[in-house]
Structures are given as C-alpha cells and as structure tokens.
Amino acid sequence: MKLNVITEPNPILHQVAKPVDFVKTDKSALKKLIHNMIETMYAHDGVGFAAPQAGVPLQLCVFAKNYSFDGQKELVLINPKWEKLSIAKNTDTEGCLSVPNMYGEVKRYKKIKVRAQDINGQPLEFYTDTFLARIVQHEIDHLNGVLFTEKAKNLKKITRA
Ligand code: ZN
C-alpha cells in the first residue's frame, strides 16, 4: 500500500524520531510498514525514504536496491548511526520527496561507516564511499528532524512545464 508522503511545511519533518524498540514492536506491523515505505519510495521515483516522511516518527529508513550495497535488495536501516571515515566531502545535487520540486547542492562526507539494526533487530555494520553514503546521510538527517534545504546551497525551484 502506498503511503501518503508528508511535505513541508509539517512539524513531523522537524522532530527527532524515536528509536524502534524490538521488544515492544509488533514484528508484522513493522514489516508491513517497511514494505509500504519501499513501495512509496519507488512510486515517487525516490532513492531513499525515511519513516517521518510517512508521518511515522520512528528511526527507520529504506534505500532503493540500485544504490544499496549489494544492488540486489532494498537496504533497510533501523536505529541507524553513521560516522565519517574521511575528512573529504563532495557536493552533489539533492532533492527530497518532502520538499517537492526543490533542488540544491549539498556537501556530504564521501566515506562513512554505518551501524544499524536490520529488519529482525540484528546488528548491521558497513562502510560505503558510493552514492549510498550521500543518501544515508540525507535519510538519517530526516530521523533527526533535519531537511536538506537547511544545508543546501543554490536552492532552486524547478517546476514542470
Ligand atoms: Zn528527503
């Protein structure tokens, strides 16, 4: 089921999301939410999607399989944290399903290490220096109530002709 995407202005997009508690959380409801988030991401041509963008203030985000580390399967990160493994940053254009038609240039760390839990609550750790590094930083910003527009330079509104 496709979820409704929350767009600006909305206070949910500016809140810190709560950690997923695997003891208290209903596993099938969590799996259903993840499934729906993935469907919603693809329906809007997104490469990543965070639960607060569906109005669910949980530390959970998903990534399109083309950009995930094995390229085979969508990547799901629960309660994720990242740290930089390089001083180097690069700049690239970003957009966001929650800020429709806006694009801007954002500086992000090139190489990061990510620690999270998977869909079963098992620890997951990896590093990345591909485009995934950028998307992970963008989506984890969502979990901390930060939008790319707060970091972007040369923000432009591009409307459809
Ligand atoms: Zn976004």
Side-chain angles (χ1 to χ4, degrees):
M1 192 188 76
K2 232 168 62 172
L3 304 168
N4 210 14
V5 179
I6 303 278
T7 56
E8 274 283 79
N10 192 307
I12 293 174
L13 295 170
H14 301 275
Q15 284 168 14
V16 178
K18 290 194 187 73
V20 173
D21 181 336
F22 279 94
V23 178
K24 291 182 189 158
T25 302
D26 178 79
K27 287 270 162 62
S28 68
L30 182 66
K31 285 185 178 165
K32 196 172 174 191
L33 172 64
I34 290 167
H35 177 90
N36 290 340
M37 283 171 58
I38 290 170
E39 192 180 327
T40 306
M41 169 180 69
Y42 286 134
H44 292 277
D45 216 11
V47 296
F49 192 72
Q53 295 183 273
V56 180
L58 286 176
Q59 299 268 339
L60 161 64
C61 46
V62 299
F63 301 86
K65 63 179 170 192
N66 285 351
Y67 300 100
S68 73
F69 47 73
D70 62 4
Q72 302 292 309
K73 203 171 172 296
E74 291 78 19
L75 175 64
V76 176
L77 298 181
I78 299 173
N79 304 328
K81 302 259 183 271
W82 65 270
E83 59 185 272
K84 60 178 192 275
L85 289 182
S86 67
I87 299 167
K89 291 180 174 182
N90 58 21
T91 302
D92 207 345
T93 303
E94 291 189 15
C96 181
L97 300 183
S98 293
V99 196
N101 305 318
M102 292 291 287
Y103 296 89
E105 290 162 17
V106 185
K107 249 187 193 178
R108 305 275 189 193
Y109 286 103
K110 268 176 145 169
K111 188 172 180 182
I112 61 169
K113 181 166 140 187
V114 182
R115 241 178 262 170
Q117 284 169 287
D118 69 10
I119 194 165
N120 298 309
Q122 295 305 306
L124 181 68
E125 197 176 314
F126 62 94
Y127 78 85
T128 172
D129 56 4
T130 65
F131 190 58
L132 179 62
R134 170 169 297 275
I135 320 171
V136 165
Q137 291 169 74
H138 178 116
E139 299 310 327
I140 294 180
D141 271 352
H142 274 299
L143 306 182
N144 292 314
V146 174
L147 294 176
F148 87 100
T149 45
E150 295 168 48
K151 299 184 166 180
K153 278 188 180 163
N154 303 322
L155 269 173
K156 284 191 186 83
K157 191 166 182 91
I158 300 178
T159 44
R160 200 168 148 199

